[in-house]
Amino acid sequence: MASDKALSQDQAAQELNELRRQIDYHNSLYHQYDAPEIPDVDYDRLFDRLLALEELFPELVTPDSPSQRVGDAPLESFKQVQHDVPMMSLAKVFNDQDLADFEARILKRLDSEEAPYYSCEPKIDGVAVSLLYENGLLVRGATRGDGVTGEDITHNVKTIKNIPLRLTIEGDMPPLLEVRGEIVMSRSGFALMNEEASKTEGGRVFVNPRNAAAGTLRQLDSRIAATRPLKFFTYSAHLSDKVADDAGWGAKWPAEHSKVLELLGQWGLPLNPERATVCGWQACLQYAKDLLAKRDALDYEIDGAVIKVDNIRLQNELGSNARTPRWAMAYKFPAEEASTTVNDVEFQVGRTGTITPVARLEPVFVGGVTVSNATLHNMDEIARLGVQIGDRVIIRRAGDVIPKIVRVLDPPDAGDVDRLRPPRHAISMPARCPACDSPVEKDGEVLYRCTGGLVCPAQRKESLRHFCSRAAMDIEGLGEKLVEQLVDADLVHSVADVFTLSKEPLVGLERMGEKSADNLLTAIEKAKNTTLPRLLFALGIREVGEATALALASHFGSLDKLMAADEEALVSVEDVGPIMAAHIRHFFDNAENDKVIKELRERGVHWSEHESTQVSDRLAGQTWVLTGTLEAMTRDEARARLQALGAKVAGSVSKKTTVVVAGPGAGSKLDKAVELGVTVMDEQGLLEVLG
């Protein structure tokens, strides 16, 4: 592509016409319909290109160019309001040098070498509005609109709780005061509002807080606005010449912008707590960096820092361009949203077997980093978004949050050849696990899971960690970090391989000396002698916890009998329902799992046959509650032992409770038992009951 200087006037005119068409189109969507198609960073790119070309070809600047105006036309459904002083936009800087150049231009125009003081505040990503007060009483609220003409939104503004309906001014007050600021929706309120809307059929879910705030202010019914979590931050105020001269307020008005804000705060107008006054561009830069570090902790969205010359006399001396003041600048933060293309979708297997779709994207810079992947969460989210491979999408990355797709852009018009997309392909869940080729099955209403269990390499670390844990095989010293090292070093492929480890490769691991290796091998040898309940729990059969493992062992007595049991026999066990029975049957029907069990036996792991017991009726009709910490056994084990004696084990205390077993750390359940006069015993008493 030829450089800009090599462009002919006709080529520049053609490109400018197309840029103006696109900018006008996106302005209309953003300001009039509250439905932007592209994120701010893409819009800024178009606008910056327009300004660059118009600077090279000033003879091509037209009166209706977007560079000569601010925003777009107001909605016709609202009463129009003329702003006495235009609500201008701000020029933008993106780096240290741009900020230094901004100050250099100021000093040159002022013919000064002394750095000025600046008033700094967050650039809030909300809706700019004007509030008009007559003799301290709020009489009008208006949107910015195109900067000259806005929309009357008084009925909605009055519902915002932190906007004073009357200013708290003692004594003299300006007869007419125009206050300007930003209306924003809190992040927490936005999330709650969307959550409630998603539960309602046909409820509108907003894309981001800014869209939600704008949509709320354009409601004709103020009762809707009254339910929305909006707030207002003041950023300036204006006195008309008549008020300044005839009413004598010109002499009373503070000489610095920061002092004006303090005065407005005293009158009851809400100010942003993150504002500051600093001297010189380096201090402004430090302010912006400090603010960026706070960005994710704030309960409202910001996209930069606003920097204004603090002295109002200097502001007037510096004046304005056609669309921006020369004395103010927006230092823009890295965009949190950008548009890109979904090139493919892959399915990742988590450590517990959950399968998650991940979009492979055309790399794009967003949130300060280059992003090429984004989570799609689950198939329901894919359906909600309507996303397909080949789609143009908006992705969002806020702070350290994993990038995600928030919206699919509408497809281009058929005649728009330059923007035609590649063919689109629907996204479907694979029938078999991409890591081990085991069948994939749906788990509940949303999730899908690999059924590979012990043999799935993606689940290897988690299955090993669980297998070696205290409640399972209880291999002391074989914790999470060592499990990761063993898998990463390719020393262990299945849980049975733990019993083939030798000293030499262990000593080569990080932080593993000879003594540590000897201790670990001793613990592994000791673990070979285990019990059937521990083994069943260690195998990681879906939904089989300690209590169920004990119940299965007690019911069948041996592993071979359990492995041979059909689903009908399994559901006869206490607390085993049809779904759990299917999981157990599926686990033992898997040939790879059967192979691992055989290898455990071959490598010396053994367990005694568990005495098959039927449920006793000794505690039949009694309801027990366990609370606090138990030392001799886990609460799941205690629960299973009580159930084996015929007791019902509940999770809460009531008048029907027979006994509460309270260990160290018991809290509200113990208090409730004392209040109701329920029998309370400690762990020793429980052991005596269990025999």
Side-chain angles (χ1 to χ4, degrees), residues 155-288:
H155 64 303
N156 286 327
V157 162
K158 286 186 174 181
T159 69
I160 299 174
K161 293 181 175 59
N162 77 331
I163 293 180
L165 299 180
R166 182 183 290 277
L167 299 181
T168 55
I169 304 175
E170 294 184 7
D172 191 19
M173 68 178 66
L176 203 64
L177 175 69
E178 184 189 3
V179 176
R180 293 176 176 178
E182 203 86 9
I183 290 177
V184 65
M185 180 173 288
S186 66
R187 282 172 164 168
S188 56
F190 169 76
L192 183 60
M193 186 181 72
N194 267 356
E195 182 182 349
E196 292 300 319
S198 66
K199 297 176 182 176
T200 305
E201 187 174 352
R204 181 182 178 186
V205 176
F206 288 95
V207 175
N208 55 50
R210 194 263 164 205
N211 278 18
T216 299
L217 293 176
R218 289 185 173 90
Q219 294 289 335
L220 294 175
D221 186 350
S222 62
R223 291 174 297 181
I224 296 176
T227 65
R228 302 280 174 84
L230 298 178
K231 63 168 56 177
F232 175 77
F233 289 116
T234 306
Y235 61 65
S236 70
H238 171 69
L239 295 176
S240 68
D241 292 340
K242 182 177 178 61
V243 171
D245 297 336
D246 296 352
W249 267 89
K252 304 174 189 177
W253 203 241
E256 291 84 25
H257 175 72
S258 56
K259 298 299 182 184
V260 171
L261 291 179
E262 290 179 11
L263 182 63
L264 296 175
Q266 293 170 14
W267 290 349
L269 288 156
L271 305 178
N272 192 290
E274 303 298 331
R275 67 190 189 283
T277 305
V278 301
C279 182
W281 73 268
Q282 294 96 334
C284 291
L285 178 63
Q286 187 59 52
Y287 168 85

Side-chain angles (χ1 to χ4, degrees), residues 625-627 650-662 665-681:
V625 173
L626 303 170
T627 183
S652 59
V653 179
S654 69
K655 291 181 179 179
K656 296 182 179 179
T657 303
T658 309
V659 178
V660 171
V661 178
S668 60
K669 292 178 184 178
L670 175 58
D671 295 338
K672 185 73 171 178
V674 173
E675 178 186 338
L676 296 176
V678 174
T679 300
V680 177
M681 68 172 58

Side-chain angles (χ1 to χ4, degrees), residues 423-437:
R424 303 170 75 217
H425 302 286
I427 302 166
S428 58
M429 177 63 63
R432 305 194 73 82
C433 173
C436 69
D437 202 41

Side-chain angles (χ1 to χ4, degrees), residues 285-416:
L285 178 63
Q286 187 59 52
Y287 168 85
K289 289 181 177 179
D290 292 343
L291 184 62
L292 179 58
K294 300 177 184 177
R295 182 183 195 176
D296 298 325
L298 298 175
D299 196 31
Y300 50 89
E301 297 205 333
I302 63 173
D303 56 6
V306 176
I307 298 165
K308 305 173 183 176
V309 172
D310 195 39
N311 187 290
I312 295 175
R313 178 184 61 79
L314 295 182
Q315 289 183 6
N316 294 331
E317 189 175 338
L318 289 165
S320 301
N321 297 311
R323 59 183 298 273
T324 60
R326 295 190 182 96
W327 45 267
M329 184 68 71
Y331 184 96
K332 292 280 283 185
F333 293 158
E336 293 187 308
E337 288 186 352
S339 63
T340 187
T341 301
V342 179
N343 291 332
D344 197 5
V345 171
E346 296 179 2
F347 290 86
Q348 292 184 346
V349 186
R351 62 179 189 171
T352 60
T354 302
I355 297 179
T356 304
V358 177
R360 303 303 182 195
L361 308 169
E362 190 70 28
V364 61
F365 191 77
V366 58
V369 299
T370 298
V371 171
S372 56
N373 303 314
T375 180
L376 283 166
H377 299 291
N378 52 57
M379 297 304 294
D380 277 15
E381 178 71 358
I382 290 173
R384 185 187 71 80
L385 291 167
V387 64
Q388 296 190 28
I389 296 169
D391 275 339
R392 190 79 181 169
V393 298
I394 288 181
I395 63 167
R396 180 173 180 80
R397 181 185 183 272
D400 294 327
V401 177
I402 298 172
K404 67 175 183 177
I405 293 174
V406 296
R407 184 157 58 91
V408 177
L409 296 177
D410 292 333
D413 296 333
D416 195 348

